[in-house]
């Protein structure tokens, strides 16, 4: 599986600020891009996902921006709260009529929201 | 509704031993995938099963095998354990596209 590159590796944001995490992919066959949130000792939890037919998707304080030509997508967390402190992973996969393939994950971003 | 369940929670084995990890998907989900997450890294795809058939396989050696049962639960088997197999093993179930993860099984190989 081809790589998904995620940055930054770690991020510190003040409470109420905007957290921005970026990902880039190589495989043009990828057409489903989810973001996961993981707390220590827990499994990843699906936050939000996007397909390449739209450039932006918003759910509550979480927004995905997608740039198909640049093969990049990003997660924006608005009004960041201490409870958002976690590790965030971007991922990508290909979807066909029979379902999606295995996910290719980025290496993760350790986000700390300072009160 | 119950989420994805995995057993056991933790497991300690020695090199050369065999291990079996179990996963029960969310009710109604027919696809199960397995991932390995080494500390500090993103999950790595191992296997995907759909309707009891292997649908995809990641870049893992033949020591790793899996199967899915008629009730859509799944087992991951690892033979001849190596120290490098120490990781969190995650199971994810899917209705079609979205994948929902369980809490994982922490495997330590001594």
């Amino acid at each position: 599986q081809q790589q998904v590159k995620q940055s930054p590796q770690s991020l510190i944001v003040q409470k109420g600020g905007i957290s921005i995490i970026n990902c880039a992919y190589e495989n043009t066959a990828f057409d489903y891009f989810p973001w996961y949130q993981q707390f220590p000792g827990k499994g990843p939890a699906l936050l939000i996902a996007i397909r390449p037919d739209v450039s932006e998707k918003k759910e509550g304080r979480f927004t995905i921006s997608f740039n198909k030509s640049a093969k990049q997508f990003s997660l924006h967390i608005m009004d960041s709260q201490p409870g958002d402190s976690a590790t965030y992973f971007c991922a990508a996969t290909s979807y066909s009529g029979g379902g999606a393939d295995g996910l290719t994950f980025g290496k993760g971003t350790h986000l700390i929201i300072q009160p | 509704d119950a989420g994805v369940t995995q057993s056991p929670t933790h497991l300690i084995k020695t090199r050369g031993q065999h291990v079996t990890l179990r996963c029960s998907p969310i009710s109604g989900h027919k696809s199960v995938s397995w991932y390995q997450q080494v500390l500090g890294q993103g999950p790595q795809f191992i296997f995907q099963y759909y309707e009891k058939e292997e649908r995809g396989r990641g870049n893992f050696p033949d020591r790793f095998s899996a199967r899915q049962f008629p009730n859509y639960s799944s087992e991951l088997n690892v033979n001849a354990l190596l120290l490098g197999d120490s990781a969190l093993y995650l199971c994810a179930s899917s209705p079609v596209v979205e994948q929902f993860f369980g809490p994982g099984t922490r495997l330590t190989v001594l």
Side-chain angles (χ1 to χ4, degrees), chain B residues 8-31:
Chain B
T9 305
H10 297 88
L11 202 53
I12 299 175
K13 292 285 189 179
T14 57
R15 283 177 296 174
Q17 284 189 314
H18 162 271
V19 68
T20 298
L21 310 180
R22 294 177 174 85
C23 170
S24 292
I26 294 170
S27 177
H29 290 190
K30 298 181 179 180
S31 176

Side-chain angles (χ1 to χ4, degrees), chain A residues 36 38 95-96 99-101 103, chain B residues 35 37 48 55 96-97 99:
Chain A
Y36 286 85
Q38 187 175 31
Y95 166 71
S96 64
D101 295 337
L103 292 165
Chain B
Y35 294 81
Q37 186 176 24
Q48 185 181 68
R55 191 173 180 275
V96 180
V97 178
Q99 294 194 26

